[in-house]
Amino acid sequence: MALDFLAGCAGGVAGVLVGHPFDTVKVRLQVQSVEKPQYRGTLHCFQSIIKQESVLGLYRGLGSPLMGLTFINALVFGVQGNTLRALGQDSPLNQFLAGAAAGAIQCVICCPMELAKTRLQLQNVGPARTYKGSLDCLVQIYRQEGLCGVNRGMVSTLLRETPSFGVYFLTYDVLTRAMGCEPGDRLLVPKLLLAGGTSGITSWLSTYPVDVVKSRLQADGLQGAPRYHGIIDCVRQSYQAEGWRVFTRGLTSTLLRAFPVNAATFATVTVVLTYTRGKEARPEGEAVPAAPAAPAGPTLAQPSSL
C-alpha cells in the first residue's frame, strides 16, 4: 500500500510539471466570453499569454495542483491498487471498477483544488489581482461563501471523475496487456509512455463536456454577477448561447496536454513500482536467481508484475 502511494506521488509531480501550461490554456478557452472572445484558438492563447505575462503566465496557479495533484495521484493509485486487490481478480471489469472508485474518492481534494486553480488562472495580473495564492484563494472563498463555496462544482466533478478514471485504468490495462509490457523489456519505457498517453486521451474524451460545465460553474461570478443556478441551467444557457460546440471548447489543448502528462504519470508510477517492489521482494545481499529458460511459443499477454 505504501509503495502505491509513493509511486502515485512521484507520478503526480511529473504530470503536473509537464501539463500545467496546457491546462492554463484550456481553462481560459473554456470560460472566455462568446461575445468578446479574447483568444482565437489554442496556439493564439499560448502566444498571447507568453507575450503579455511571459512564460511564467502559463504556470499561474501551479501551487494548487502541485500540492493537490501529488497527493491526489498518491490517493488514486493507492485506492485503485487496494480496491483491485479487494476485488480479488485482475480483470478488465475490475480495473474499471477500481479506477472509478479511486476517481470518486479523490474528488474531495480535487474539487477545491481545481476551484482555486481556475480562479488563479483567470484573475487579473498585477496589483489588481484578487488572490495571493492557492491557500489565500480558498480562505477568501470560505469566508465569503462558506463550505459550499469551497466545494462549488462538486457534483459535476464527481460526474466527470468517476467514469473517466474507470476508463483511464481500463485503457491502460488493456494496452499494457496487448503490448506485452514485461520488466526487462528493452522497449518497456516507450510502451508505458504510449499506453499512459493514450489512456489519458481516452479518459478525457469520455467525459470532456462535463469538464466544460465544471469549469464554467467554478468560474461563475468571478468577473461579474453569477449566471448559473446549477448544472442543468449551465448546460441549457451554454447550449442556447453557443450551440453544441461549446462543450468541445478547449479540447485541442486538453488532448495536447493529456498525452505527455499521462505518459509521464503512468510511466513514472510503473517504473517506481517495478524497481521498489523488485528490491523489496529480495533480501539484501541475496543473489538474484537465474531466470529459467523461456518456453517455446508466444509470451503471455498478461504482465507478470506491472
Side-chain angles (χ1 to χ4, degrees):
M1 185 188 300
L3 291 180
D4 287 335
F5 283 94
L6 173 65
C9 279
V13 172
V16 171
L17 294 177
V18 170
H20 192 75
F22 295 98
D23 188 71
T24 300
V25 171
K26 180 204 75 165
V27 170
R28 294 203 183 187
L29 289 172
Q30 283 180 337
V31 303
Q32 70 174 340
S33 170
V34 66
E35 293 86 9
K36 298 179 180 179
Q38 188 176 357
Y39 310 111
R40 295 192 297 270
T42 301
L43 183 59
H44 181 246
C45 186
F46 264 110
Q47 293 172 336
S48 299
I49 294 172
I50 293 173
K51 184 177 180 180
Q52 298 168 11
E53 307 169 40
S54 80
V55 175
L56 294 178
L58 294 170
Y59 284 93
R60 284 175 62 183
L62 177 65
S64 176
L66 191 59
M67 291 185 296
L69 276 175
T70 301
F71 185 72
I72 282 175
N73 270 294
L75 184 63
V76 164
F77 283 94
V79 170
Q80 191 269 346
N82 283 283
T83 303
L84 192 60
R85 283 188 283 273
L87 290 172
Q89 182 183 3
D90 184 4
S91 66
L93 176 60
N94 286 346
Q95 285 282 354
F96 178 86
L97 294 175
I105 289 174
Q106 57 92 40
C107 287
V108 177
I109 304 167
C110 174
C111 182
M113 179 206 76
E114 292 204 346
L115 175 65
K117 173 182 68 65
T118 300
R119 295 290 181 95
L120 288 167
Q121 286 172 331
L122 296 174
Q123 74 171 343
N124 296 322
V125 296
R129 65 180 184 171
T130 307
Y131 309 113
K132 299 174 183 176
S134 303
L135 186 59
D136 179 59
C137 178
L138 290 174
V139 168
Q140 288 195 44
I141 294 172
Y142 178 76
R143 286 174 178 170
Q144 295 168 10
E145 306 175 45
L147 198 59
C148 290
V150 172
N151 288 290
R152 177 183 291 188
M154 177 63 79
V155 175
S156 55
T157 303
L158 272 167
L159 291 174
R160 182 193 71 178
E161 299 291 79
T162 303
S164 71
F165 269 93
V167 172
Y168 189 49
F169 283 98
L170 172 62
T171 305
Y172 185 73
D173 179 64
V174 169
L175 290 175
T176 51
R177 290 172 190 268
M179 292 189 291
C181 296
E182 291 281 356
D185 186 347
R186 288 187 302 119
L187 298 177
L188 177 62
V189 172
K191 287 179 179 179
L192 293 177
L193 290 172
L194 177 61
T198 306
S199 301
I201 288 176
T202 306
S203 171
W204 272 108
L205 287 173
S206 67
T207 57
Y208 189 76
V210 183
D211 183 66
V212 175
V213 174
K214 180 200 71 70
S215 292
R216 292 192 160 212
L217 288 171
Q218 291 186 328
D220 191 31
L222 183 61
Q223 298 171 340
R227 297 173 54 191
Y228 308 120
H229 301 294
I231 295 175
I232 302 299
D233 184 55
C234 180
V235 171
R236 182 181 58 80
Q237 286 195 45
S238 299
Y239 178 77
Q240 287 179 348
E242 304 171 56
W244 65 268
R245 290 183 182 274
V246 67
F247 300 111
T248 64
R249 183 184 287 183
L251 180 61
T252 302
S253 61
T254 299
L255 297 183
L256 287 173
R257 166 183 174 263
F259 192 93
V261 166
N262 293 287
T265 299
F266 257 125
T268 302
V269 168
T270 306
V271 168
V272 168
L273 285 176
T274 300
Y275 283 99
T276 53
R277 282 176 176 164
K279 291 178 181 178
E280 185 185 61
R282 192 167 58 249
E284 187 176 354
E286 184 176 324
V288 180
T299 57
L300 292 175
Q302 181 173 344
S304 59
S305 63
L306 295 182

